[in-house]
Amino acid sequence: MNLRLIALPLIATLCATVAAQSSSTVAAKSDSTHITPNGYTQKWWKEAVVYQIYPRSFKDSNGDGIGDLPGITSKLDYLQALGVNVIWLSPHFDSPNADNGYDIRDYRKVMKEFGTMADFDAMLKGIKQRHMKLIIDLVVNHTSDEHRWFVASSGSKDNPYRDYYIWRPGKTGPDGKEQPPNNDPSFFFGSAWQKDPATNEYYLHYFAVKQPDLNWDNPKVRNEVYDLMKFWLDKGVDGFRMDVIPLISKDQTFPELTPDQLKHVDEVYAHGPHRDEYLQEMNRNVMAKYDVMTVGEALGISLDETPLLVDERRHELNMIFNFAAVRINRDGKQWLPWTLPGLKAVYDRQDAALDVHSWNTVFLSNHDNPRLVSSFGDDSPPYRDASAKLLATMLFTLKGTPFVYQGDELAMTNYPFQRMEDFDDIEAKNGYKADVLTGKVSEADYIANLRKTGRDNARTPMQWDGSPNGGFTIGPKPWLAVNPNYKKINAKEELANPDSVYHYYQKMIALRSKSPALIYGDYKDLDPENPNIFAYTRILGNEKYLIVLNFSGNATSYTLPDGLRAGSLKVSNLGSTGQQTTTLNLKPWEARVYKQ
Ligand code: NOJ
């Protein structure tokens, strides 16, 4: 049992009931008595600001063009100075990289391109020394087809690992020819079944052919997973981001999906019969024994269903990523214009769906989505900085644990993709085969859509300085091209400019960290229908904040609703200072935070 001591910085100010132990530190599971005035149980992971590192693209230390763990260690001071206190590391495990590490060959080994276990330990030590925490990616819906379990499983029908995966014989179609067991599609195009010549049966893969799905109905598989989780927790990691976790339980009768089900297959896959049972078992076997943070990637779970996975009384996960907000600009994989009332409706609904027993995440970017400022702000030169700062204001003042994706603190932008050769992502390449080579979509339209939606937008290397390849690598060639705007947009420039996006992130993170109302306070959207202004309050006891965001490139005069008066201006992303109480003259993309 690993009961680490956890600092809860806000406890002293917020405690309604003080537990028997010290007021500044509490042992795991003993902090349940710290309740905010509006009823939330205080937890370190609710007060955290998380920074996601995609290791392949963060910092290369040895010149092979691929980011690595020593590279991360060399940038820990940068992260600490930013003010984030939890790092989420995308997969760092041994992998043949069909899906950049989301296809794991050995859960207990470090990917050789990223370094060694000693490098991992040194990184973890550096993180702890800086009073930060580390959560790692738990990818256990599937493994790599090169994992030793799958190699054994596919070898014969009667080997002890056969049941670690999901195998079915094909069936005879109306034309008398053999077909896959059912019409389940893969998220990466084509059928979710792959025939394996060794035994003439099909295995299930919801993602790439090289990512066979584990059979969670086999208790041995579940115990293997719990053991590997303990392996990393015992090393000192502080929790997990769980990849596509609602998908672990399958309806193993595999009925044919109806045309309607095929339109929202994520929802179908996320509603297997034993999902909650397995998560509760995992919680009992692992999470309950440590003081950890868990966040599930909740593909296919609606906003209203969120409490099923995160209500603390159900003992499953702490939080989930719901995609309603980040995917508001897409229909499936196709880019769609989004509206501010639509985005506000997601946040309002999310808030209504969760009570004090459930906690939320706030994020609008990650390694699977395009760049924050390009998607939700305006990345053209006049407004890139202002809109990136406005988005940061929103992310750090909404209710829920905020997640920053690497480079968003520099307002890094989407990449100007021109040709298919510019892409690395398996999803982009498979889509090209499925949609362009079959003549369904023109190549130009396909690339134009990927320019706005493609995952590689977020995966181009971090831009550290104006030297060749943005200072990401000293080698001749990074694994994916650096955005050509690196000479202008890079960390060195941002650090040198006191008015930069990086320093604004720093300021907002600091403000959030010391303001209980911005963490736990009640949220109210003041003007849900307004097409350009997002105005909301966060209130906790006597502490009240008003946040006003002008989501447009137009200056506007905004009269606060319900006779509300603005209070004292704590932050303006554009340096406004004037006293304005009921009518605010907002500049394009201006964000203001008032304390009332
Ligand atoms: C979700 C991950 O975020 C994504 O990058 C990956 O391709 C799929 N899961 C499959 O693991």
Side-chain angles (χ1 to χ4, degrees):
M1 186 114 105
N2 184 354
L3 295 180
R4 290 191 292 280
L5 291 181
I6 297 302
L8 284 177
L10 291 173
I11 283 204
T13 32
L14 284 184
C15 259
T17 335
V18 179
Q21 63 269 47
S22 135
S23 65
S24 61
T25 59
V26 281
K29 301 212 293 165
S30 64
D31 52 356
S32 56
T33 45
H34 297 283
I35 311 285
T36 64
N38 58 350
Y40 283 98
T41 303
Q42 284 186 250
K43 296 283 180 189
W44 62 266
W45 42 265
K46 295 181 183 171
E47 300 177 8
V49 175
V50 186
Y51 186 95
Q52 184 192 352
I53 292 183
Y54 194 67
R56 208 172 181 77
S57 304
F58 191 66
K59 173 72 187 158
D60 173 22
S61 71
N62 61 1
D64 66 357
I66 297 175
D68 49 42
L69 303 184
I72 296 173
T73 306
S74 73
K75 295 295 180 187
L76 291 177
D77 287 340
Y78 167 90
L79 296 176
Q80 187 186 24
L82 185 59
V84 298
N85 46 14
V86 174
I87 293 172
W88 153 24
L89 184 66
S90 277
H92 64 281
F93 314 93
D94 176 44
S95 164
N97 285 306
D99 187 19
N100 286 349
Y102 282 92
D103 48 320
I104 296 171
R105 185 164 45 200
D106 187 338
Y107 289 99
R108 288 178 170 79
K109 225 170 142 184
V110 170
M111 190 191 295
K112 65 176 181 322
E113 296 89 325
F114 292 172
T116 62
M117 194 60 96
D119 294 328
F120 180 89
D121 293 340
M123 178 189 72
L124 185 58
K125 191 166 165 214
I127 291 171
K128 302 277 162 159
Q129 276 167 347
R130 289 167 181 80
H131 310 291
M132 297 191 283
K133 293 175 186 291
L134 176 68
I135 64 169
I136 59 174
D137 230 298
L138 184 74
V139 188
V140 289
N141 172 67
H142 46 268
T143 67
S144 163
D145 65 343
E146 297 182 29
H147 193 291
R148 66 180 173 82
W149 302 334
F150 189 79
V151 173
S153 182
S154 57
S156 65
K157 284 189 187 168
D158 56 4
N159 77 79
Y161 288 94
R162 187 66 170 178
D163 239 13
Y164 270 46
Y165 295 86
I166 299 167
W167 294 93
R168 291 287 183 280
K171 65 176 192 200
T172 310
D175 57 0
K177 289 195 187 139
E178 187 181 305
Q179 288 183 348
N182 82 339
N183 63 347
D184 276 3
S186 149
F187 288 109
F188 288 168
F189 300 91
S191 168
W193 295 101
Q194 177 72 13
K195 187 166 178 183
D196 191 42
T199 58
N200 271 331
E201 285 196 336
Y202 292 75
Y203 65 86
L204 185 74
H205 63 91
Y206 279 170
F207 293 89
V209 170
K210 280 183 72 63
Q211 290 168 299
D213 282 43
L214 283 164
N215 176 15
W216 273 69
D217 292 347
N218 179 349
K220 284 192 196 142
V221 167
R222 304 204 297 277
N223 286 327
E224 296 268 16
V225 171
Y226 306 151
D227 283 353
L228 76 89
M229 291 172 77
K230 289 181 200 155
F231 170 83
W232 289 100
L233 290 172
D234 289 339
K235 262 189 170 293
V237 311
D238 301 288
F240 301 98
R241 174 268 187 187
M242 300 188 184
D243 193 65
V244 295
I245 201 71
L247 272 44
I248 54 177
S249 164
K250 273 89 181 169
D251 173 354
Q252 297 229 16
T253 65
F254 293 109
E256 281 296 297
L257 301 189
T258 63
D260 194 44
Q261 286 177 312
L262 287 168
K263 286 190 200 132
H264 45 88
V265 78
D266 53 341
E267 289 170 29
V268 180
Y269 290 173
H271 289 82
H274 305 293
R275 180 195 67 210
D276 299 297
E277 181 190 325
Y278 294 159
L279 285 175
Q280 284 165 11
E281 182 185 83
M282 179 197 274
N283 191 309
R284 271 196 311 278
N285 279 280
V286 186
M287 283 91 100
K289 299 181 175 163
Y290 299 80
D291 181 25
V292 289
M293 161 174 175
T294 52
V295 52
E297 190 199 21
L299 198 71
I301 300 292
S302 71
L303 291 172
D304 295 334
E305 290 172 316
T306 304
L308 285 178
L309 281 86
V310 304
D311 186 316
E312 64 205 5
R313 295 164 299 187
R314 290 173 56 81
H315 303 288
E316 294 191 16
L317 305 174
N318 296 150
M319 302 170 259
I320 60 170
F321 293 128
N322 184 293
F323 290 98
V326 71
R327 293 282 163 97
I328 197 164
N329 50 23
R330 264 156 293 169
D331 178 13
K333 296 184 197 280
Q334 183 62 41
W335 172 265
L336 267 189
W338 62 283
T339 67
L340 184 62
L343 184 66
K344 290 190 276 189
V346 170
Y347 291 131
D348 297 353
R349 179 140 191 192
Q350 214 156 22
D351 192 62
L354 306 184
D355 65 9
V356 292
H357 298 290
S358 298
W359 192 250
N360 204 358
T361 56
V362 189
F363 74 103
L364 279 179
S365 57
N366 62 23
H367 64 292
D368 291 330
N369 288 286
R371 281 283 170 191
L372 178 63
V373 70
S374 303
S375 293
F376 292 97
D378 180 343
D379 63 8
S380 68
Y383 298 129
R384 188 180 60 88
D385 267 38
S387 63
K389 290 174 181 172
L390 173 140
L391 290 165
T393 314
M394 185 178 85
L395 291 175
F396 297 124
T397 57
L398 282 174
K399 198 199 284 176
T401 299
F403 284 70
V404 177
Y405 181 67
Q406 67 183 37
D408 284 346
E409 77 280 15
L410 311 175
M412 279 175 60
T413 63
N414 282 351
Y415 185 91
F417 294 106
Q418 300 301 329
R419 296 166 296 274
M420 273 319 291
E421 303 82 76
D422 295 340
F423 295 95
D424 170 87
D425 180 13
I426 183 167
E427 187 181 21
K429 289 179 177 167
N430 284 0
Y432 181 79
K433 285 185 215 140
D435 290 349
V436 180
L437 295 186
T438 56
K440 285 191 208 141
V441 180
S442 77
E443 179 160 335
D445 286 351
Y446 185 73
I447 292 177
N449 186 53
L450 277 187
R451 221 176 279 138
K452 288 179 162 225
T453 61
R455 308 197 298 178
D456 281 339
N457 282 302
R459 299 176 180 186
T460 63
M462 271 290 277
Q463 297 165 204
W464 291 107
D465 58 40
S467 68
N469 292 316
F472 164 71
T473 177
I474 45 160
K477 199 169 178 306
W479 72 277
L480 188 65
V482 177
N483 194 309
N485 61 21
Y486 71 88
K487 289 208 170 113
K488 245 202 177 131
I489 303 176
N490 64 61
K492 193 171 172 198
E493 293 282 328
E494 290 279 311
L495 288 168
N497 171 6
D499 199 26
S500 67
V501 175
Y502 175 93
H503 287 301
Y504 189 83
Y505 266 67
Q506 219 176 23
K507 183 158 115 182
M508 284 307 304
I509 293 171
L511 177 68
R512 178 189 167 85
S513 305
K514 63 175 197 299
S515 312
L518 291 181
I519 298 171
Y520 293 105
D522 295 332
Y523 159 85
K524 185 169 179 220
D525 180 354
L526 300 176
D527 199 355
E529 300 304 325
N530 193 305
N532 296 319
I533 303 291
F534 191 7
Y536 51 96
T537 50
R538 299 292 313 280
I539 301 178
L540 184 69
N542 294 329
E543 199 185 12
K544 275 190 184 176
Y545 284 92
L546 164 70
I547 296 98
V548 184
L549 311 171
N550 177 12
F551 263 84
S552 86
N554 303 316
T556 184
S557 176
Y558 180 61
T559 300
L560 293 169
D562 308 328
L564 204 75
R565 298 172 70 81
S568 83
L569 183 61
K570 299 295 276 183
V571 178
S572 155
N573 64 339
L574 293 170
S576 292
T577 51
Q579 278 300 318
Q580 296 169 355
T581 49
T582 52
T583 297
L584 315 178
N585 295 317
L586 300 166
K587 297 175 194 156
W589 292 104
E590 183 164 8
R592 294 190 191 170
V593 180
Y594 290 95
K595 192 157 185 196
Q596 296 185 297

